[in-house]
Amino acid sequence: MKKGILLAALSLLAVGCSKNESVNTPDTPVNAKAIRIGQSVQGVTSAAVTEGSDVTATILMHDAPATNWGGFIAVKKNDIDGAGALQERATVSTASFKAGTSQDVVLTPSLYYNHGTNTDNAFLVAVSPDGVLAASGTVVTMKNVDGQQDVMYAAEVDAGNEGTPASSVNLSFGHLTTQLNFQMKLTAAASNGEWANQSVSVKNISIQNAQLPQSVDAADGTVSWTASGSSLSVPNIANVGLSATAAKVSTPVMIMGGGKVTVDVVLTVGNADLTFSNITIQETAGKDLITEKAKSHMITLNVTEPSGATQGEKVISATASVTPWQEGAKGSAELN
């Protein structure tokens, strides 16, 4: 009786397991060879991803011929049967690695060569950071659009085939944005400064017409940007007192390159806020800074304290009030 109950229980457990959940399925299929890849980040000093940074990426794979991304279908898991044979290969994987190291890229799930022909080459492309990929097509949509994403692209590489795998499969990532770094300093007035004995700090920096990467087509690296006309408030402003020594006041931001930089800045002096609008950043006197893709720009904002009144002169003080709206004369027009 007990033996029959035990057999029945085991039968129920077996019914509850799918072929991909079988406890007998090996981690590596017996009829397929995994693709091993390395990585490099071009210009690691030029953007937020630096040597030693943890990086993630979405990797797409297709078989020969090269650049044949038309009709790409995303398969996000490997189908391995109970005998350990690979039935269907994943074509999409999430990669994890540390920038600037020689360690292999960790792929989840693993990507495998075509075992059926043994001669079809595999081709790989990648977009970082890892994003959202639809069931079909090669457009990778960013999970966050906030100016903090160091969006990169690794163009197609030939990984060889199962019979003759490439000896060195390397994903070479290049930056798709320009990076802006902000630092500020305070130049005190020569004498009788208006801000004497008051702390001066930056409250906000807003970049006008900042366009951010929304998605990247992994087939060729084409970027879709947010619409122009919007301003980006620089995140993570360090609300600390300014001094005569220039110091960074925020984390880097990554935006579309190739244009001028115009900012609005809000300072806090004592307990009052002061706003400076439409400040165009210059590379040198009389020459506007033009940002470049894959390059990092350090922007120094120098705040000069205004001089106060000299002895005997009176300082004008004022208060502010707003007159309530009043109804004006009515208007009309004829459209003929």
Side-chain angles (χ1 to χ4, degrees), residues 102-185:
S102 59
Q103 298 175 352
D104 284 350
V105 174
V106 177
L107 298 178
T108 308
S110 296
L111 296 176
Y112 293 95
Y113 292 104
N114 187 345
H115 179 71
T117 66
N118 197 42
T119 57
D120 271 355
N121 284 25
F123 294 87
L124 308 175
V125 292
V127 174
S128 177
D130 67 304
V132 179
L133 186 68
S136 61
T138 54
V139 174
V140 179
T141 301
M142 297 295 101
K143 295 176 182 177
N144 298 293
V145 182
D146 56 9
Q148 295 290 278
Q149 312 308 310
D150 185 357
V151 178
M152 301 184 293
Y153 176 65
E156 183 178 89
V157 294
D158 186 345
N161 56 62
E162 187 178 67
T164 54
S167 59
S168 178
V169 182
N170 186 66
L171 294 173
S172 185
F173 288 87
H175 304 286
L176 297 177
T177 60
T178 188
Q179 182 199 118
L180 302 183
N181 292 275
F182 290 93
Q183 63 180 14
M184 296 189 70
K185 60 182 292 188

Side-chain angles (χ1 to χ4, degrees), residues 45-70:
T45 60
S46 297
V49 169
T50 57
E51 188 169 326
S53 296
D54 291 319
V55 182
T56 62
T58 297
I59 296 184
L60 284 66
M61 176 189 72
H62 77 85
D63 293 327
T67 70
N68 182 31
W69 294 100

Side-chain angles (χ1 to χ4, degrees), residues 251-275:
T251 53
V253 291
M254 275 67 68
I255 64 174
M256 182 178 180
K260 299 179 182 180
V261 180
T262 302
V263 299
D264 302 319
V265 180
V266 180
L267 299 180
T268 299
V269 180
N271 295 318
D273 289 345
L274 298 178
T275 301

Side-chain angles (χ1 to χ4, degrees), residues 27 86 91 100 126 160 171 176 183 197 207 271 301:
D27 294 332
L86 181 63
T91 60
L171 294 173
L176 297 177
Q183 63 180 14
N197 302 318
I207 306 169
N271 295 318
L301 301 173

Side-chain angles (χ1 to χ4, degrees), residues 19 28 70 85 95 116 128 159 169 179 182 193 203 234 254 288 290 330:
K19 62 181 177 180
T28 303
S128 177
V169 182
Q179 182 199 118
F182 290 93
K203 184 176 183 179
V234 176
M254 275 67 68
D288 293 337
I290 304 298
K330 294 180 172 59

Side-chain angles (χ1 to χ4, degrees), residues 209-299:
N209 298 316
Q211 292 182 259
L212 308 177
Q214 295 184 118
S215 63
V216 179
D217 190 339
D220 58 11
T222 299
V223 182
S224 175
W225 304 90
T226 57
S228 61
S230 300
S231 293
L232 173 66
S233 184
V234 176
N236 304 318
I237 292 291
N239 191 17
V240 296
L242 303 182
S243 69
T245 302
K248 286 188 176 182
V249 293
S250 70
T251 53
V253 291
M254 275 67 68
I255 64 174
M256 182 178 180
K260 299 179 182 180
V261 180
T262 302
V263 299
D264 302 319
V265 180
V266 180
L267 299 180
T268 299
V269 180
N271 295 318
D273 289 345
L274 298 178
T275 301
F276 300 82
S277 301
N278 302 316
I279 303 169
T280 299
I281 307 302
Q282 294 189 327
E283 181 178 350
T284 57
K287 180 183 178 182
D288 293 337
L289 170 69
I290 304 298
T291 60
E292 296 182 68
K293 184 178 79 169
K295 291 192 176 181
S296 176
H297 301 276
M298 175 61 75
I299 295 174

